[in-house]
PDB file of all heavy atoms in Angstrom:
ATOM      1  N   GLN W 972     -38.491 272.541  86.279  1.00  0.00           N
ATOM      2  CA  GLN W 972     -39.579 271.679  86.877  1.00  0.00           C
ATOM      3  C   GLN W 972     -40.727 272.392  87.173  1.00  0.00           C
ATOM      4  O   GLN W 972     -41.815 271.815  87.321  1.00  0.00           O
ATOM      5  CB  GLN W 972     -38.998 271.031  88.192  1.00  0.00           C
ATOM      6  CG  GLN W 972     -38.035 269.939  88.002  1.00  0.00           C
ATOM      7  CD  GLN W 972     -37.437 269.475  89.345  1.00  0.00           C
ATOM      8  OE1 GLN W 972     -36.468 270.031  89.886  1.00  0.00           O
ATOM      9  NE2 GLN W 972     -38.028 268.559  89.799  1.00  0.00           N
ATOM     10  N   PHE W 973     -40.773 273.687  87.022  1.00  0.00           N
ATOM     11  CA  PHE W 973     -41.897 274.529  87.215  1.00  0.00           C
ATOM     12  C   PHE W 973     -42.698 274.674  85.948  1.00  0.00           C
ATOM     13  O   PHE W 973     -42.105 274.866  84.893  1.00  0.00           O
ATOM     14  CB  PHE W 973     -41.530 275.997  87.826  1.00  0.00           C
ATOM     15  CG  PHE W 973     -41.154 275.961  89.248  1.00  0.00           C
ATOM     16  CD1 PHE W 973     -39.782 275.655  89.637  1.00  0.00           C
ATOM     17  CD2 PHE W 973     -42.022 276.191  90.241  1.00  0.00           C
ATOM     18  CE1 PHE W 973     -39.492 275.625  90.936  1.00  0.00           C
ATOM     19  CE2 PHE W 973     -41.656 276.188  91.548  1.00  0.00           C
ATOM     20  CZ  PHE W 973     -40.435 275.846  91.970  1.00  0.00           C
ATOM     21  N   PHE W 974     -44.006 274.773  86.022  1.00  0.00           N
ATOM     22  CA  PHE W 974     -44.847 274.910  84.962  1.00  0.00           C
ATOM     23  C   PHE W 974     -45.927 275.980  85.311  1.00  0.00           C
ATOM     24  O   PHE W 974     -46.261 276.177  86.511  1.00  0.00           O
ATOM     25  CB  PHE W 974     -45.604 273.665  84.386  1.00  0.00           C
ATOM     26  CG  PHE W 974     -46.332 272.919  85.434  1.00  0.00           C
ATOM     27  CD1 PHE W 974     -47.623 273.117  85.544  1.00  0.00           C
ATOM     28  CD2 PHE W 974     -45.689 271.981  86.287  1.00  0.00           C
ATOM     29  CE1 PHE W 974     -48.467 272.485  86.498  1.00  0.00           C
ATOM     30  CE2 PHE W 974     -46.535 271.305  87.239  1.00  0.00           C
ATOM     31  CZ  PHE W 974     -47.858 271.515  87.396  1.00  0.00           C
ATOM     32  N   THR W 975     -46.568 276.608  84.348  1.00  0.00           N
ATOM     33  CA  THR W 975     -47.520 277.689  84.661  1.00  0.00           C
ATOM     34  C   THR W 975     -48.924 277.189  84.285  1.00  0.00           C
ATOM     35  O   THR W 975     -49.194 276.508  83.297  1.00  0.00           O
ATOM     36  CB  THR W 975     -47.191 278.990  83.800  1.00  0.00           C
ATOM     37  OG1 THR W 975     -45.895 279.409  84.182  1.00  0.00           O
ATOM     38  CG2 THR W 975     -48.252 280.013  84.051  1.00  0.00           C
ATOM     39  N   GLN W 976     -49.849 277.478  85.220  1.00  0.00           N
ATOM     40  CA  GLN W 976     -51.294 277.172  84.990  1.00  0.00           C
ATOM     41  C   GLN W 976     -51.992 278.396  85.312  1.00  0.00           C
ATOM     42  O   GLN W 976     -51.754 279.144  86.270  1.00  0.00           O
ATOM     43  CB  GLN W 976     -51.714 275.977  85.757  1.00  0.00           C
ATOM     44  CG  GLN W 976     -51.566 276.131  87.237  1.00  0.00           C
ATOM     45  CD  GLN W 976     -51.844 274.810  87.937  1.00  0.00           C
ATOM     46  OE1 GLN W 976     -51.637 273.717  87.461  1.00  0.00           O
ATOM     47  NE2 GLN W 976     -52.298 274.941  89.250  1.00  0.00           N
ATOM     48  N   ILE W 977     -53.086 278.590  84.588  1.00  0.00           N
ATOM     49  CA  ILE W 977     -53.993 279.869  84.811  1.00  0.00           C
ATOM     50  C   ILE W 977     -55.319 279.178  85.218  1.00  0.00           C
ATOM     51  O   ILE W 977     -55.974 278.464  84.447  1.00  0.00           O
ATOM     52  CB  ILE W 977     -54.087 280.750  83.606  1.00  0.00           C
ATOM     53  CG1 ILE W 977     -52.789 281.289  83.218  1.00  0.00           C
ATOM     54  CG2 ILE W 977     -55.014 281.946  84.020  1.00  0.00           C
ATOM     55  CD1 ILE W 977     -52.766 282.058  82.051  1.00  0.00           C
ATOM     56  N   ASN W 978     -55.891 279.575  86.351  1.00  0.00           N
ATOM     57  CA  ASN W 978     -57.202 279.245  86.843  1.00  0.00           C
ATOM     58  C   ASN W 978     -58.183 280.331  86.602  1.00  0.00           C
ATOM     59  O   ASN W 978     -57.890 281.424  87.081  1.00  0.00           O
ATOM     60  CB  ASN W 978     -57.221 278.899  88.270  1.00  0.00           C
ATOM     61  CG  ASN W 978     -56.484 277.583  88.636  1.00  0.00           C
ATOM     62  OD1 ASN W 978     -56.171 276.797  87.731  1.00  0.00           O
ATOM     63  ND2 ASN W 978     -56.083 277.429  89.830  1.00  0.00           N
ATOM     64  N   TYR W 979     -59.260 280.082  85.856  1.00  0.00           N
ATOM     65  CA  TYR W 979     -60.306 281.092  85.713  1.00  0.00           C
ATOM     66  C   TYR W 979     -61.545 280.576  86.426  1.00  0.00           C
ATOM     67  O   TYR W 979     -62.060 279.471  86.294  1.00  0.00           O
ATOM     68  CB  TYR W 979     -60.694 281.165  84.231  1.00  0.00           C
ATOM     69  CG  TYR W 979     -59.568 281.687  83.330  1.00  0.00           C
ATOM     70  CD1 TYR W 979     -58.737 280.752  82.694  1.00  0.00           C
ATOM     71  CD2 TYR W 979     -59.387 283.017  83.189  1.00  0.00           C
ATOM     72  CE1 TYR W 979     -57.659 281.236  81.891  1.00  0.00           C
ATOM     73  CE2 TYR W 979     -58.289 283.537  82.429  1.00  0.00           C
ATOM     74  CZ  TYR W 979     -57.416 282.582  81.787  1.00  0.00           C
ATOM     75  OH  TYR W 979     -56.431 283.133  80.895  1.00  0.00           O
ATOM     76  N   TYR W 980     -62.015 281.447  87.384  1.00  0.00           N
ATOM     77  CA  TYR W 980     -63.160 281.015  88.338  1.00  0.00           C
ATOM     78  C   TYR W 980     -64.480 281.573  87.823  1.00  0.00           C
ATOM     79  O   TYR W 980     -64.567 282.725  87.381  1.00  0.00           O
ATOM     80  CB  TYR W 980     -62.741 281.504  89.654  1.00  0.00           C
ATOM     81  CG  TYR W 980     -61.496 280.911  90.253  1.00  0.00           C
ATOM     82  CD1 TYR W 980     -60.296 281.583  90.251  1.00  0.00           C
ATOM     83  CD2 TYR W 980     -61.451 279.582  90.689  1.00  0.00           C
ATOM     84  CE1 TYR W 980     -59.211 280.984  90.833  1.00  0.00           C
ATOM     85  CE2 TYR W 980     -60.350 278.927  91.115  1.00  0.00           C
ATOM     86  CZ  TYR W 980     -59.197 279.682  91.144  1.00  0.00           C
ATOM     87  OH  TYR W 980     -58.012 279.081  91.612  1.00  0.00           O
ATOM     88  N   PHE W 981     -65.521 280.773  88.056  1.00  0.00           N
ATOM     89  CA  PHE W 981     -66.879 281.081  87.637  1.00  0.00           C
ATOM     90  C   PHE W 981     -67.795 281.047  88.885  1.00  0.00           C
ATOM     91  O   PHE W 981     -67.652 280.154  89.744  1.00  0.00           O
ATOM     92  CB  PHE W 981     -67.331 280.190  86.606  1.00  0.00           C
ATOM     93  CG  PHE W 981     -66.680 280.396  85.267  1.00  0.00           C
ATOM     94  CD1 PHE W 981     -65.391 279.849  85.044  1.00  0.00           C
ATOM     95  CD2 PHE W 981     -67.227 281.162  84.333  1.00  0.00           C
ATOM     96  CE1 PHE W 981     -64.728 280.069  83.856  1.00  0.00           C
ATOM     97  CE2 PHE W 981     -66.641 281.288  83.026  1.00  0.00           C
ATOM     98  CZ  PHE W 981     -65.338 280.748  82.827  1.00  0.00           C
ATOM     99  N   ASP W 982     -68.785 281.961  88.901  1.00  0.00           N
ATOM    100  CA  ASP W 982     -69.854 281.844  89.954  1.00  0.00           C
ATOM    101  C   ASP W 982     -70.979 282.656  89.391  1.00  0.00           C
ATOM    102  O   ASP W 982     -70.924 283.493  88.389  1.00  0.00           O
ATOM    103  CB  ASP W 982     -69.383 282.347  91.307  1.00  0.00           C
ATOM    104  CG  ASP W 982     -70.243 281.754  92.391  1.00  0.00           C
ATOM    105  OD1 ASP W 982     -71.385 281.293  92.193  1.00  0.00           O
ATOM    106  OD2 ASP W 982     -69.767 281.746  93.547  1.00  0.00           O
ATOM    107  N   SER W 983     -72.191 282.663  89.989  1.00  0.00           N
ATOM    108  CA  SER W 983     -73.261 283.565  89.639  1.00  0.00           C
ATOM    109  C   SER W 983     -73.120 284.889  90.324  1.00  0.00           C
ATOM    110  O   SER W 983     -72.358 285.082  91.195  1.00  0.00           O
ATOM    111  CB  SER W 983     -74.586 282.862  90.052  1.00  0.00           C
ATOM    112  OG  SER W 983     -74.622 282.771  91.452  1.00  0.00           O
ATOM    113  N   ALA W 984     -73.910 285.913  89.852  1.00  0.00           N
ATOM    114  CA  ALA W 984     -73.762 287.243  90.376  1.00  0.00           C
ATOM    115  C   ALA W 984     -74.149 287.245  91.897  1.00  0.00           C
ATOM    116  O   ALA W 984     -73.714 287.883  92.723  1.00  0.00           O
ATOM    117  CB  ALA W 984     -74.837 288.089  89.674  1.00  0.00           C
ATOM    118  N   ASP W 985     -75.046 286.151  92.357  1.00  0.00           N
ATOM    119  CA  ASP W 985     -75.416 286.017  93.706  1.00  0.00           C
ATOM    120  C   ASP W 985     -74.646 285.014  94.482  1.00  0.00           C
ATOM    121  O   ASP W 985     -75.021 284.491  95.564  1.00  0.00           O
ATOM    122  CB  ASP W 985     -76.938 285.832  93.911  1.00  0.00           C
ATOM    123  CG  ASP W 985     -77.429 284.693  93.154  1.00  0.00           C
ATOM    124  OD1 ASP W 985     -76.586 283.970  92.478  1.00  0.00           O
ATOM    125  OD2 ASP W 985     -78.607 284.273  93.432  1.00  0.00           O
ATOM    126  N   PHE W 986     -73.470 284.616  93.833  1.00  0.00           N
ATOM    127  CA  PHE W 986     -72.554 283.642  94.445  1.00  0.00           C
ATOM    128  C   PHE W 986     -73.205 282.348  94.969  1.00  0.00           C
ATOM    129  O   PHE W 986     -72.979 281.838  96.054  1.00  0.00           O
ATOM    130  CB  PHE W 986     -71.842 284.297  95.568  1.00  0.00           C
ATOM    131  CG  PHE W 986     -70.881 285.436  95.055  1.00  0.00           C
ATOM    132  CD1 PHE W 986     -71.246 286.786  95.274  1.00  0.00           C
ATOM    133  CD2 PHE W 986     -69.822 285.272  94.257  1.00  0.00           C
ATOM    134  CE1 PHE W 986     -70.597 287.842  94.839  1.00  0.00           C
ATOM    135  CE2 PHE W 986     -69.097 286.287  93.800  1.00  0.00           C
ATOM    136  CZ  PHE W 986     -69.434 287.671  94.063  1.00  0.00           C
ATOM    137  N   GLN W 987     -74.025 281.754  94.056  1.00  0.00           N
ATOM    138  CA  GLN W 987     -74.664 280.403  94.409  1.00  0.00           C
ATOM    139  C   GLN W 987     -73.673 279.338  94.780  1.00  0.00           C
ATOM    140  O   GLN W 987     -73.939 278.567  95.718  1.00  0.00           O
ATOM    141  CB  GLN W 987     -75.500 279.965  93.275  1.00  0.00           C
ATOM    142  CG  GLN W 987     -76.765 280.747  92.956  1.00  0.00           C
ATOM    143  CD  GLN W 987     -77.365 280.303  91.756  1.00  0.00           C
ATOM    144  OE1 GLN W 987     -77.685 279.105  91.557  1.00  0.00           O
ATOM    145  NE2 GLN W 987     -77.685 281.162  90.755  1.00  0.00           N
ATOM    146  N   LEU W 988     -72.518 279.254  94.100  1.00  0.00           N
ATOM    147  CA  LEU W 988     -71.507 278.303  94.385  1.00  0.00           C
ATOM    148  C   LEU W 988     -70.816 278.628  95.701  1.00  0.00           C
ATOM    149  O   LEU W 988     -70.625 277.683  96.493  1.00  0.00           O
ATOM    150  CB  LEU W 988     -70.465 278.225  93.196  1.00  0.00           C
ATOM    151  CG  LEU W 988     -71.094 277.789  91.841  1.00  0.00           C
ATOM    152  CD1 LEU W 988     -70.009 277.810  90.864  1.00  0.00           C
ATOM    153  CD2 LEU W 988     -71.575 276.332  91.926  1.00  0.00           C
ATOM    154  N   ARG W 989     -70.384 279.793  95.797  1.00  0.00           N
ATOM    155  CA  ARG W 989     -69.644 280.150  97.065  1.00  0.00           C
ATOM    156  C   ARG W 989     -70.385 279.884  98.295  1.00  0.00           C
ATOM    157  O   ARG W 989     -69.995 279.321  99.328  1.00  0.00           O
ATOM    158  CB  ARG W 989     -69.219 281.647  97.061  1.00  0.00           C
ATOM    159  CG  ARG W 989     -68.258 281.920  98.246  1.00  0.00           C
ATOM    160  CD  ARG W 989     -67.750 283.312  98.251  1.00  0.00           C
ATOM    161  NE  ARG W 989     -68.789 284.324  98.491  1.00  0.00           N
ATOM    162  CZ  ARG W 989     -68.738 285.570  98.469  1.00  0.00           C
ATOM    163  NH1 ARG W 989     -67.577 286.143  98.027  1.00  0.00           N
ATOM    164  NH2 ARG W 989     -69.720 286.382  98.777  1.00  0.00           N
ATOM    165  N   LYS W 990     -71.764 280.198  98.244  1.00  0.00           N
ATOM    166  CA  LYS W 990     -72.619 280.025  99.385  1.00  0.00           C
ATOM    167  C   LYS W 990     -72.711 278.502  99.745  1.00  0.00           C
ATOM    168  O   LYS W 990     -73.037 278.122 100.872  1.00  0.00           O
ATOM    169  CB  LYS W 990     -74.097 280.471  99.080  1.00  0.00           C
ATOM    170  CG  LYS W 990     -74.155 282.031  99.123  1.00  0.00           C
ATOM    171  CD  LYS W 990     -75.482 282.543  98.640  1.00  0.00           C
ATOM    172  CE  LYS W 990     -75.486 284.035  98.568  1.00  0.00           C
ATOM    173  NZ  LYS W 990     -76.711 284.565  97.810  1.00  0.00           N
ATOM    174  N   ARG W 991     -72.514 277.633  98.766  1.00  0.00           N
ATOM    175  CA  ARG W 991     -72.432 276.094  99.036  1.00  0.00           C
ATOM    176  C   ARG W 991     -71.079 275.642  99.192  1.00  0.00           C
ATOM    177  O   ARG W 991     -70.882 274.402  99.176  1.00  0.00           O
ATOM    178  CB  ARG W 991     -73.196 275.517  97.890  1.00  0.00           C
ATOM    179  CG  ARG W 991     -74.676 275.765  97.874  1.00  0.00           C
ATOM    180  CD  ARG W 991     -75.321 275.538  96.525  1.00  0.00           C
ATOM    181  NE  ARG W 991     -75.956 274.176  96.489  1.00  0.00           N
ATOM    182  CZ  ARG W 991     -76.750 273.886  95.560  1.00  0.00           C
ATOM    183  NH1 ARG W 991     -77.144 274.715  94.598  1.00  0.00           N
ATOM    184  NH2 ARG W 991     -77.245 272.601  95.481  1.00  0.00           N
ATOM    185  N   ARG W 992     -70.149 276.519  99.286  1.00  0.00           N
ATOM    186  CA  ARG W 992     -68.765 276.207  99.519  1.00  0.00           C
ATOM    187  C   ARG W 992     -68.112 275.342  98.359  1.00  0.00           C
ATOM    188  O   ARG W 992     -67.249 274.566  98.499  1.00  0.00           O
ATOM    189  CB  ARG W 992     -68.451 275.424 100.840  1.00  0.00           C
ATOM    190  CG  ARG W 992     -68.890 276.432 102.068  1.00  0.00           C
ATOM    191  CD  ARG W 992     -68.712 275.711 103.399  1.00  0.00           C
ATOM    192  NE  ARG W 992     -67.521 275.027 103.660  1.00  0.00           N
ATOM    193  CZ  ARG W 992     -67.449 273.735 103.953  1.00  0.00           C
ATOM    194  NH1 ARG W 992     -68.519 273.065 104.185  1.00  0.00           N
ATOM    195  NH2 ARG W 992     -66.307 273.112 104.182  1.00  0.00           N
ATOM    196  N   MET W 993     -68.648 275.646  97.168  1.00  0.00           N
ATOM    197  CA  MET W 993     -68.206 274.911  95.843  1.00  0.00           C
ATOM    198  C   MET W 993     -67.453 275.876  95.180  1.00  0.00           C
ATOM    199  O   MET W 993     -67.503 277.101  95.300  1.00  0.00           O
ATOM    200  CB  MET W 993     -69.388 274.384  95.157  1.00  0.00           C
ATOM    201  CG  MET W 993     -70.343 273.453  95.846  1.00  0.00           C
ATOM    202  SD  MET W 993     -71.579 272.581  94.878  1.00  0.00           S
ATOM    203  CE  MET W 993     -72.429 273.850  94.195  1.00  0.00           C
ATOM    204  N   GLY W 994     -66.667 275.336  94.220  1.00  0.00           N
ATOM    205  CA  GLY W 994     -65.838 276.147  93.367  1.00  0.00           C
ATOM    206  C   GLY W 994     -65.844 275.617  91.896  1.00  0.00           C
ATOM    207  O   GLY W 994     -65.962 274.342  91.755  1.00  0.00           O
ATOM    208  N   LEU W 995     -65.835 276.503  90.983  1.00  0.00           N
ATOM    209  CA  LEU W 995     -65.813 276.022  89.529  1.00  0.00           C
ATOM    210  C   LEU W 995     -64.731 276.825  88.850  1.00  0.00           C
ATOM    211  O   LEU W 995     -64.592 278.075  88.950  1.00  0.00           O
ATOM    212  CB  LEU W 995     -67.227 276.402  88.937  1.00  0.00           C
ATOM    213  CG  LEU W 995     -67.340 276.046  87.474  1.00  0.00           C
ATOM    214  CD1 LEU W 995     -67.188 274.538  87.193  1.00  0.00           C
ATOM    215  CD2 LEU W 995     -68.669 276.602  86.936  1.00  0.00           C
ATOM    216  N   ARG W 996     -63.853 276.073  88.229  1.00  0.00           N
ATOM    217  CA  ARG W 996     -62.707 276.663  87.517  1.00  0.00           C
ATOM    218  C   ARG W 996     -62.477 276.029  86.169  1.00  0.00           C
ATOM    219  O   ARG W 996     -62.722 274.863  86.030  1.00  0.00           O
ATOM    220  CB  ARG W 996     -61.455 276.586  88.369  1.00  0.00           C
ATOM    221  CG  ARG W 996     -60.905 275.252  88.407  1.00  0.00           C
ATOM    222  CD  ARG W 996     -59.447 275.101  88.798  1.00  0.00           C
ATOM    223  NE  ARG W 996     -58.977 273.794  88.761  1.00  0.00           N
ATOM    224  CZ  ARG W 996     -58.601 273.076  89.690  1.00  0.00           C
ATOM    225  NH1 ARG W 996     -58.332 273.561  90.910  1.00  0.00           N
ATOM    226  NH2 ARG W 996     -58.222 271.717  89.471  1.00  0.00           N
ATOM    227  N   VAL W 997     -61.955 276.853  85.319  1.00  0.00           N
ATOM    228  CA  VAL W 997     -61.241 276.223  84.050  1.00  0.00           C
ATOM    229  C   VAL W 997     -59.761 276.508  84.209  1.00  0.00           C
ATOM    230  O   VAL W 997     -59.391 277.711  84.579  1.00  0.00           O
ATOM    231  CB  VAL W 997     -61.837 277.077  82.761  1.00  0.00           C
ATOM    232  CG1 VAL W 997     -60.972 276.654  81.446  1.00  0.00           C
ATOM    233  CG2 VAL W 997     -63.333 276.796  82.534  1.00  0.00           C
ATOM    234  N   ARG W 998     -59.072 275.433  84.072  1.00  0.00           N
ATOM    235  CA  ARG W 998     -57.587 275.528  84.326  1.00  0.00           C
ATOM    236  C   ARG W 998     -56.907 275.366  82.891  1.00  0.00           C
ATOM    237  O   ARG W 998     -57.220 274.386  82.249  1.00  0.00           O
ATOM    238  CB  ARG W 998     -57.113 274.482  85.233  1.00  0.00           C
ATOM    239  CG  ARG W 998     -55.579 274.362  85.378  1.00  0.00           C
ATOM    240  CD  ARG W 998     -55.129 273.450  86.509  1.00  0.00           C
ATOM    241  NE  ARG W 998     -55.251 274.093  87.735  1.00  0.00           N
ATOM    242  CZ  ARG W 998     -55.089 273.490  88.928  1.00  0.00           C
ATOM    243  NH1 ARG W 998     -54.880 272.223  88.925  1.00  0.00           N
ATOM    244  NH2 ARG W 998     -55.287 274.177  90.071  1.00  0.00           N
ATOM    245  N   VAL W 999     -56.072 276.266  82.587  1.00  0.00           N
ATOM    246  CA  VAL W 999     -55.393 276.204  81.316  1.00  0.00           C
ATOM    247  C   VAL W 999     -53.884 275.982  81.591  1.00  0.00           C
ATOM    248  O   VAL W 999     -53.260 276.844  82.203  1.00  0.00           O
ATOM    249  CB  VAL W 999     -55.663 277.477  80.500  1.00  0.00           C
ATOM    250  CG1 VAL W 999     -54.959 277.360  79.072  1.00  0.00           C
ATOM    251  CG2 VAL W 999     -57.151 277.664  80.276  1.00  0.00           C
ATOM    252  N   LEU W1000     -53.317 274.967  80.955  1.00  0.00           N
ATOM    253  CA  LEU W1000     -51.881 274.698  80.904  1.00  0.00           C
ATOM    254  C   LEU W1000     -51.371 274.925  79.547  1.00  0.00           C
ATOM    255  O   LEU W1000     -52.139 275.313  78.659  1.00  0.00           O
ATOM    256  CB  LEU W1000     -51.473 273.362  81.497  1.00  0.00           C
ATOM    257  CG  LEU W1000     -51.914 273.167  82.964  1.00  0.00           C
ATOM    258  CD1 LEU W1000     -53.066 272.291  83.121  1.00  0.00           C
ATOM    259  CD2 LEU W1000     -50.715 272.513  83.663  1.00  0.00           C
ATOM    260  N   SER W1001     -50.035 274.710  79.319  1.00  0.00           N
ATOM    261  CA  SER W1001     -49.523 274.985  78.024  1.00  0.00           C
ATOM    262  C   SER W1001     -50.115 274.124  76.846  1.00  0.00           C
ATOM    263  O   SER W1001     -50.372 274.496  75.746  1.00  0.00           O
ATOM    264  CB  SER W1001     -48.029 274.844  78.014  1.00  0.00           C
ATOM    265  OG  SER W1001     -47.626 273.534  78.316  1.00  0.00           O
ATOM    266  N   ASP W1002     -50.376 272.787  77.261  1.00  0.00           N
ATOM    267  CA  ASP W1002     -50.833 271.845  76.220  1.00  0.00           C
ATOM    268  C   ASP W1002     -52.165 271.096  76.458  1.00  0.00           C
ATOM    269  O   ASP W1002     -52.585 270.240  75.757  1.00  0.00           O
ATOM    270  CB  ASP W1002     -49.767 270.818  75.922  1.00  0.00           C
ATOM    271  CG  ASP W1002     -49.452 270.032  77.246  1.00  0.00           C
ATOM    272  OD1 ASP W1002     -49.846 270.427  78.272  1.00  0.00           O
ATOM    273  OD2 ASP W1002     -48.575 269.051  77.104  1.00  0.00           O
ATOM    274  N   ASN W1003     -52.807 271.555  77.586  1.00  0.00           N
ATOM    275  CA  ASN W1003     -54.153 270.954  77.876  1.00  0.00           C
ATOM    276  C   ASN W1003     -54.941 271.873  78.864  1.00  0.00           C
ATOM    277  O   ASN W1003     -54.376 272.731  79.375  1.00  0.00           O
ATOM    278  CB  ASN W1003     -54.055 269.478  78.381  1.00  0.00           C
ATOM    279  CG  ASN W1003     -53.328 269.437  79.697  1.00  0.00           C
ATOM    280  OD1 ASN W1003     -53.910 269.829  80.762  1.00  0.00           O
ATOM    281  ND2 ASN W1003     -52.120 268.864  79.688  1.00  0.00           N
ATOM    282  N   ALA W1004     -56.109 271.535  79.153  1.00  0.00           N
ATOM    283  CA  ALA W1004     -57.006 272.273  79.876  1.00  0.00           C
ATOM    284  C   ALA W1004     -58.125 271.344  80.478  1.00  0.00           C
ATOM    285  O   ALA W1004     -58.265 270.195  80.029  1.00  0.00           O
ATOM    286  CB  ALA W1004     -57.624 273.545  79.175  1.00  0.00           C
ATOM    287  N   GLU W1005     -58.787 271.904  81.600  1.00  0.00           N
ATOM    288  CA  GLU W1005     -59.943 271.164  82.142  1.00  0.00           C
ATOM    289  C   GLU W1005     -60.863 272.057  82.789  1.00  0.00           C
ATOM    290  O   GLU W1005     -60.418 273.196  83.179  1.00  0.00           O
ATOM    291  CB  GLU W1005     -59.383 270.098  83.190  1.00  0.00           C
ATOM    292  CG  GLU W1005     -58.756 270.673  84.332  1.00  0.00           C
ATOM    293  CD  GLU W1005     -58.205 269.618  85.369  1.00  0.00           C
ATOM    294  OE1 GLU W1005     -58.367 268.468  85.150  1.00  0.00           O
ATOM    295  OE2 GLU W1005     -57.711 270.049  86.387  1.00  0.00           O
ATOM    296  N   ILE W1006     -62.047 271.641  82.921  1.00  0.00           N
ATOM    297  CA  ILE W1006     -62.978 272.312  83.791  1.00  0.00           C
ATOM    298  C   ILE W1006     -63.315 271.465  84.992  1.00  0.00           C
ATOM    299  O   ILE W1006     -63.502 270.313  84.847  1.00  0.00           O
ATOM    300  CB  ILE W1006     -64.368 272.650  82.973  1.00  0.00           C
ATOM    301  CG1 ILE W1006     -65.331 273.507  83.825  1.00  0.00           C
ATOM    302  CG2 ILE W1006     -65.001 271.499  82.432  1.00  0.00           C
ATOM    303  CD1 ILE W1006     -66.441 274.181  83.045  1.00  0.00           C
ATOM    304  N   THR W1007     -63.322 272.082  86.146  1.00  0.00           N
ATOM    305  CA  THR W1007     -63.427 271.331  87.461  1.00  0.00           C
ATOM    306  C   THR W1007     -64.489 271.974  88.355  1.00  0.00           C
ATOM    307  O   THR W1007     -64.411 273.194  88.568  1.00  0.00           O
ATOM    308  CB  THR W1007     -62.121 271.215  88.164  1.00  0.00           C
ATOM    309  OG1 THR W1007     -61.112 270.661  87.315  1.00  0.00           O
ATOM    310  CG2 THR W1007     -62.163 270.336  89.361  1.00  0.00           C
ATOM    311  N   LEU W1008     -65.423 271.099  88.849  1.00  0.00           N
ATOM    312  CA  LEU W1008     -66.287 271.618  89.878  1.00  0.00           C
ATOM    313  C   LEU W1008     -65.869 270.806  91.117  1.00  0.00           C
ATOM    314  O   LEU W1008     -65.694 269.673  91.158  1.00  0.00           O
ATOM    315  CB  LEU W1008     -67.791 271.162  89.541  1.00  0.00           C
ATOM    316  CG  LEU W1008     -68.835 271.434  90.597  1.00  0.00           C
ATOM    317  CD1 LEU W1008     -68.962 273.004  90.689  1.00  0.00           C
ATOM    318  CD2 LEU W1008     -70.070 270.814  90.165  1.00  0.00           C
ATOM    319  N   LYS W1009     -65.670 271.649  92.270  1.00  0.00           N
ATOM    320  CA  LYS W1009     -65.235 271.091  93.553  1.00  0.00           C
ATOM    321  C   LYS W1009     -66.428 271.263  94.471  1.00  0.00           C
ATOM    322  O   LYS W1009     -66.894 272.279  94.697  1.00  0.00           O
ATOM    323  CB  LYS W1009     -63.982 271.861  94.067  1.00  0.00           C
ATOM    324  CG  LYS W1009     -62.718 271.601  93.179  1.00  0.00           C
ATOM    325  CD  LYS W1009     -61.530 272.149  93.919  1.00  0.00           C
ATOM    326  CE  LYS W1009     -60.312 271.796  93.171  1.00  0.00           C
ATOM    327  NZ  LYS W1009     -59.072 272.023  93.889  1.00  0.00           N
ATOM    328  N   ILE W1010     -66.751 270.087  95.067  1.00  0.00           N
ATOM    329  CA  ILE W1010     -67.937 270.042  96.116  1.00  0.00           C
ATOM    330  C   ILE W1010     -67.345 269.530  97.380  1.00  0.00           C
ATOM    331  O   ILE W1010     -66.758 268.490  97.492  1.00  0.00           O
ATOM    332  CB  ILE W1010     -68.991 269.071  95.474  1.00  0.00           C
ATOM    333  CG1 ILE W1010     -69.442 269.630  94.101  1.00  0.00           C
ATOM    334  CG2 ILE W1010     -70.154 269.039  96.445  1.00  0.00           C
ATOM    335  CD1 ILE W1010     -70.372 268.619  93.395  1.00  0.00           C
ATOM    336  N   PRO W1011     -67.661 270.208  98.514  1.00  0.00           N
ATOM    337  CA  PRO W1011     -67.205 269.763  99.741  1.00  0.00           C
ATOM    338  C   PRO W1011     -67.830 268.435 100.252  1.00  0.00           C
ATOM    339  O   PRO W1011     -68.975 268.164 100.006  1.00  0.00           O
ATOM    340  CB  PRO W1011     -67.540 270.832 100.746  1.00  0.00           C
ATOM    341  CG  PRO W1011     -68.305 271.832 100.066  1.00  0.00           C
ATOM    342  CD  PRO W1011     -68.392 271.497  98.599  1.00  0.00           C
TER     343      PRO W1011
END
């Protein structure tokens, strides 16, 4: 029932996203993937 996913996180050198409490990731699973921007 367990599956593996790898999250790759992106931000600018001056952490523009982190400063706004946002996150940006590319998630890779065995047969699909997605890019997600999270905004509070």
Side-chain angles (χ1 to χ4, degrees):
Q972 289 175 271
F973 284 86
F974 58 92
T975 300
Q976 58 190 29
I977 305 173
N978 291 340
Y979 296 94
Y980 298 105
F981 291 79
D982 205 338
S983 61
D985 58 353
F986 297 106
Q987 292 175 50
L988 295 175
R989 186 176 73 187
K990 287 174 185 167
R991 293 162 91 166
R992 298 180 44 238
M993 298 189 309
L995 178 63
R996 71 160 186 240
V997 171
R998 173 173 282 171
V999 182
L1000 294 106
S1001 62
D1002 57 354
N1003 63 72
E1005 67 181 359
I1006 184 169
T1007 303
L1008 177 64
K1009 294 190 177 197
I1010 302 170

